[in-house]
Amino acid sequence: MPTNSAPLATPETGAPTDKDTLTPVPEPRAAAAPVNEHRFDIDLMRLICSCAVILGHVAGAFILAVDREEENGPSAYWAGHIADGLNQFAVPMFFAMAGWAVLMGAPPRDSARMWQRIIRNGLPLYVWTAAYLAWAWLRDTNDQPMTELGVDAIFGSVRPAYHLWFLYAYIPIIMALAFIVLIRSGQRPWGLGAALLVVATLPHILATVSEFTDWSAPTVGWGFGTYSVVYAVIGAMLFALPGGLSRRGRWLMVPLMVVSGIGVVYWDTQVHYVIPNAHPFVAILTFSLLMLVSRVRVPERWRPRLTKLAGAAMGAYMVHVFFVEELVKRWVDADGGPLVSGVMLLAMFAMTAVLSYGVSLLWGKLGLRRWLG
């Protein structure tokens, strides 16, 4: 009998069968997505977002150098605002990647695994907060006593560790998403639920304590807003799309990014600085970049180096403010022309990024990633 003939169906069941044996033939299935697939495009996005944060803080130094006023140095003012407008996708994109990791990419198997993730983010948060406070104490630039700032830092970010505010929102949102994932898988993560309850009620707990003790309670930074949840869940959905855009579709994202970036700069300079993360201009910029990069093929020869740099991204994020405060802010020239301001900004960004990634890679080799990120 020809082996390529079509299967018949049995009269009883109607299921397809082999002509010779009359045994059921399984229905064809779509190819399953690889389990624990390593997403090099996500590595690339982490690197892009980390560098964007560094660019934003370097740009902020230019804006502060002219006291946020154009007449104090128009070239530095516009160089700073244009560069700052280019980085506004970074924080929303970090939420998007967090959503993808918890919901799609690497969902926690149990509460213990989730607590490991929480510690992996929380321990460097407090180590670096202590480092920044000690650094400011040595320079005599703290605006409050160290003890007060240390207590305040338990509940929210403090200067000079101002950039760490993000982790006070990032950690609760991955906790909440993981809690839902674990509940859906049939588990009962009581400890995680109790921690979320504390986060939700912490402002009112402190207010109650203050009422009875006259203690001036610190501002609570733990928690997340609606916008961060939306970025996380939509980002998870878009990152999980199996095919990504075609080459033509990716190019269509570029004009959307340009238009939304112009909108961000307009808002920052003409309406209010800084534009909210929940603004439509920021959302369009974020999701356009996401679709541009998602599922892009990274050449194999670049993958080891990219993964290594992506692993150092959190550490670079943690340390870069040292270099912004000690180097960039000292060297900004508010009186330079357009060419001088543009070249200086790019040079200072490159310097800060190289130094930040350099020291992060160094302590990674020394086995300090757990403590320093």
Side-chain angles (χ1 to χ4, degrees):
M1 299 289 291
T3 58
N4 60 350
S5 54
L8 300 175
T10 58
E12 294 84 358
T13 64
T17 63
D18 183 87
K19 289 178 68 175
D20 295 324
T21 63
L22 294 182
T23 55
V25 176
E27 292 287 346
R29 290 186 178 182
V35 178
N36 294 327
E37 170 194 12
H38 187 88
R39 295 282 298 272
F40 293 100
D41 58 319
I42 300 289
D43 286 344
L44 178 60
M45 188 67 85
R46 288 172 64 193
L47 183 59
I48 291 171
C49 289
S50 176
C51 289
V53 170
I54 295 173
L55 175 63
H57 287 141
V58 170
F62 279 70
I63 297 170
L64 292 177
V66 296
D67 295 326
R68 302 184 182 182
E69 298 292 337
E70 183 180 0
E71 57 266 23
N72 294 335
S75 296
Y77 175 87
W78 283 106
H81 272 297
I82 291 171
D84 186 68
L86 295 176
N87 95 312
Q88 294 301 321
F89 62 83
V91 167
M93 193 71 76
F94 276 126
F95 286 127
M97 288 187 286
W100 172 81
V102 175
L103 297 176
M104 312 294 294
R109 297 178 183 177
D110 50 44
S111 292
R113 298 289 181 90
M114 193 58 226
W115 280 109
Q116 289 175 3
R117 293 190 190 184
I118 294 168
I119 293 171
R120 189 166 65 239
N121 288 280
L123 185 58
L125 164 63
Y126 285 117
V127 169
W128 278 107
T129 297
Y132 278 102
L133 289 178
W135 165 59
W137 176 75
L138 291 172
R139 296 162 64 244
D140 196 27
T141 57
N142 281 332
D143 55 0
Q144 294 175 251
M146 275 280 286
T147 52
E148 292 183 16
L149 288 171
V151 171
D152 289 351
I154 296 173
F155 303 100
S157 59
V158 295
R159 287 190 174 274
Y162 56 85
H163 62 303
L164 300 183
W165 72 268
F166 169 74
L167 288 171
Y168 291 86
Y170 180 87
I171 293 173
I173 199 169
I174 64 173
M175 290 171 60
L177 295 176
F179 185 77
I180 296 171
V181 168
L182 293 173
I183 290 290
R184 289 281 296 169
S185 67
Q187 301 186 48
R188 297 294 180 267
W190 295 108
L192 203 56
L196 285 168
L197 183 61
V198 170
V199 169
T201 59
L202 187 56
H204 306 290
I205 293 173
L206 295 183
T208 302
V209 172
S210 297
E211 184 68 26
F212 288 99
T213 63
D214 292 328
W215 172 51
S216 180
T219 302
V220 176
W222 291 105
F224 51 83
T226 303
Y227 82 90
S228 55
V229 178
V230 172
Y231 281 125
V233 296
I234 295 181
M237 179 185 69
L238 294 179
F239 274 124
L241 292 176
L245 294 179
S246 65
R247 179 175 295 183
R248 178 178 296 180
R250 292 184 195 280
W251 279 112
L252 288 176
M253 296 297 102
V254 175
L256 283 177
M257 292 175 60
V258 171
V259 172
S260 56
I262 292 172
V264 170
V265 174
Y266 171 83
W267 192 272
D268 278 346
T269 57
Q270 306 301 318
V271 181
H272 179 71
Y273 177 73
V274 176
I275 190 171
N277 288 323
H279 196 282
F281 288 149
V282 177
I284 295 170
L285 179 63
T286 301
F287 291 125
S288 298
L289 177 63
L290 189 156
M291 296 307 298
L292 178 67
V293 175
S294 182
R295 300 290 180 179
V296 69
R297 184 184 180 279
V298 177
E300 290 188 14
R301 66 182 183 277
W302 294 357
R303 292 177 181 180
R305 187 172 299 174
L306 174 62
T307 301
K308 187 176 182 179
L309 288 173
M314 182 179 180
Y317 166 79
M318 293 290 196
V319 74
H320 78 277
V321 168
F322 274 119
F323 303 116
V324 171
E325 295 290 325
E326 287 298 326
L327 300 178
V328 175
K329 287 189 175 181
R330 293 175 185 268
W331 296 343
V332 171
D333 181 7
D335 299 321
L339 180 61
V340 171
S341 294
V343 171
M344 181 178 290
L345 189 145
L346 292 176
M348 290 189 177
F349 162 67
M351 173 195 68
T352 306
V354 168
L355 290 173
S356 300
Y357 271 90
V359 295
S360 180
L361 290 169
L362 176 61
W363 72 63
K365 288 184 177 181
L366 297 175
L368 300 175
R369 191 71 70 200
R370 170 183 173 84
W371 295 90
L372 301 178

